[in-house]
Amino acid sequence: MGYLETVMQGGGQARLRSRVEDGEESEAAAVVRRAQAGDVDAQNRVFRTWLPVVLRWCARLGGPRVDPEDAAHDVFVVVMRRLGDVERPDRFSSWLYGITRRVLRQHRRKVWLTRWLPEREVDEEPAEDGTGCGETWAAANELSRQVQGLLEALPAPQREVLVLCVLEDRTVDEVSTLLGIPRGTVSSRLRLARDKLGRLAKARRLDQHFVPTEGRA
Amino acid sequence: MTAPGPFPTDHHRVENEQDRLLHHLGKSTEPPLAAVQRVERRVKTSLQATASPWRWWLAPSLAAVAVAVLFLARGPEPALYSVDPLSGGIAQVRGPSEDGPRPDFDDVSQLLWVARPEVDVAVDSGKVQAQVWGRGPDGVWRPLAFDLAPSASGAYVFQGAASKFFGDHIGPWSLVFAIGSRSALAGPPEGWLSHPGAEIQVFRARCRYLGPANDGPPR
C-alpha cells in the first residue's frame, strides 16, 4: 500500500506520518510531479490526499463564519491552476499551506466586512446527490463553537501554530517547515498560545468541561 | 513534509484541559468524506467551466471582433477636432471638396466654430464677450478673435480660413472658445482653463494645421 493510500485510511491509525520513510516522501513528491505533467490519475490523487487536509485547515483556522467548503474550493481552484508553478514538489505542503493562508485571509476579510449582515441560513436539506447537507459538519456543536471563539481571540501566528501542533498533532519540526519559520519561533508561539488559551478558557469557564477520565499517554 | 492523517482519536496525548478542548474541536472539524467529495466535484466543475473554449478563447475572440466592427463602423475620426464634451461646443472644418469634416486643416480650410452657451453666462449682457485663443506648436497662446457677437439664435460663430489664424505655425493647435463677462475674460486663457467658473464658459478643440494646401487655390 502506498503512502498516499495509507494516509487516507483514517480511523485509529497511529501517527502515520512519523513512520513515513524517505521513499514514501518522495512518492508524494512524484505524484505532484506527475500531476504537473498532466497525469489525471495523479491529479486525482492530489485531490484525495490534500483536499481533506485543506478542509481541516479551513475549518480550524478560518473561524466560525468562514465556510470551510467554500474556502477549500477556492484554495484548490488556485492549486490546480498553478500546479505547474511548484518548483519543489517535496515542499508541496508548504506551498499549499501558503495558498490556504492567503485564501483564508481573503475569506476572513470578507466575513469581517459583512459581519453586520444576518448570518446565512443553514440548509438543512440534504444535497441532491445524497451526500448530506453542507456547512453543518464543521464545529457543529456549542462547545466546538466556544473553542473556536477562544482560538479567534489568539493572534493569528499563535493560532496557526496551536492548530497545527495540537489539533493536527504535527511536530515542531514539521510546523517549522510548513510555515517557513525557525523551530524556536514555533516553540515560543506555541507556549504563548497555550498560556493565553488557558487563561481564556479559565475566564470563560471552559476548562472544566471535561472530567479527566481519559487515560493519559 | 507529508500529509497528515485524520484526527488521531486513540493515540493522541492529552496534556491538559486546553488540549482536551482543542481535541474536541479537532474531532468536530474532521471533514466527512461526503464533504470532501462535494468540494472535489465543485472544484472540478469550476476548473472545467474556466477551461472551456467559450470562457477563455471564444468569448474574448468574439468580443475583440465586436470591438473591431464597432471601431470600423464608428464613422469619421472625431478626435482630431474633438471638443471638450463637457462644454458642448462644436468645431468643424469645411474643406474644398465639401465632403464634410476633415481630420486636418489646411490653408484653404474654413474653420467654423459655433458655440452656444449652455447656461446664461450674461451677468450683464452689455459686458458679455466671446473670444477665441489658440496655442500653436510653439506653445504660445495667441488671440484669434475678439468681440464676437451673438447671432439671432444666441450662438457665437467663429469662422475663417485656417491660414488666416494659424499663419506659418504648422503642427498641432489647441483652440479655446470662451464666452463670459469682460472682466472674467481678462488675461491669458490658462486661468480660464484651470478655473472655469460660472461667469465663463470654455469650449476646447484640438486640431492639426497642415499648412498651405497643394490641391488648389482657396475658394
Side-chain angles (χ1 to χ4, degrees), chain A residues 67-87:
Chain A
D67 182 349
E69 292 188 24
D70 284 350
H73 164 270
D74 292 354
V75 169
F76 254 76
V77 167
V78 175
V79 165
M80 298 314 287
R81 280 192 190 145
R82 297 186 49 197
L83 200 57
D85 297 346
V86 181
E87 294 176 356

Side-chain angles (χ1 to χ4, degrees), chain B residues 38 43 68 94 108 126 136 138-139 143 165 168 177 182 184 188-189 196 208 216 218:
Chain B
R38 192 161 50 233
V43 172
R94 289 179 178 164
V108 295
D138 56 355
F165 298 108
D168 298 330
F177 197 131
R182 283 180 189 277
R208 176 174 290 276

Side-chain angles (χ1 to χ4, degrees), chain B:
Chain B
M1 182 63 59
T2 60
F7 191 80
T9 52
D10 298 331
H11 301 270
H12 67 278
R13 191 159 57 96
V14 179
E15 292 185 354
N16 52 37
E17 297 303 328
Q18 295 114 53
D19 284 8
R20 285 172 179 270
L21 289 171
L22 290 172
H23 287 147
H24 177 81
L25 178 63
K27 288 176 191 170
S28 70
T29 50
E30 195 62 40
L33 184 60
V36 176
Q37 292 171 339
R38 192 161 50 233
V39 176
E40 182 175 345
R41 274 196 302 275
R42 282 179 59 194
V43 172
K44 288 181 175 174
T45 304
S46 299
L47 292 172
Q48 282 169 357
T50 53
S52 71
W54 172 252
R55 178 92 175 248
W56 288 106
W57 178 77
L58 193 55
S61 301
L62 288 177
V65 169
V67 169
V69 168
L70 289 174
F71 181 80
L72 293 173
R74 77 197 187 288
E77 169 62 68
L80 289 174
Y81 58 100
S82 66
V83 177
D84 184 346
L86 295 176
S87 70
I90 302 166
Q92 59 179 266
V93 61
R94 289 179 178 164
S97 62
E98 291 287 352
D99 56 356
R102 289 166 54 117
D104 300 293
F105 298 96
D106 55 37
D107 74 338
V108 295
S109 300
Q110 285 291 312
L111 192 63
L112 172 65
W113 195 340
V114 182
R116 193 186 306 275
E118 294 171 323
V119 293
D120 184 11
V121 296
V123 179
D124 176 348
S125 61
K127 296 180 180 176
V128 169
Q129 188 185 72
Q131 298 181 2
V132 180
W133 288 67
R135 185 171 60 178
D138 56 355
V140 177
W141 283 103
R142 294 177 177 80
L144 303 184
F146 281 105
D147 292 326
L148 293 170
S151 66
S153 66
Y156 293 81
V157 180
F158 167 65
Q159 187 172 15
S163 59
K164 172 185 170 188
F165 298 108
F166 297 150
D168 298 330
H169 298 283
I170 297 169
W173 277 78
S174 296
L175 303 180
V176 176
F177 197 131
I179 304 171
S181 66
R182 283 180 189 277
S183 58
L185 289 175
E190 283 93 339
W192 316 334
L193 297 175
S194 58
H195 301 290
E199 290 185 339
I200 185 170
Q201 279 196 16
V202 178
F203 307 107
R204 282 180 280 188
R206 291 187 301 277
C207 63
R208 176 174 290 276
Y209 176 51
L210 300 178
N214 297 318
D215 56 353
R219 294 186 308 161

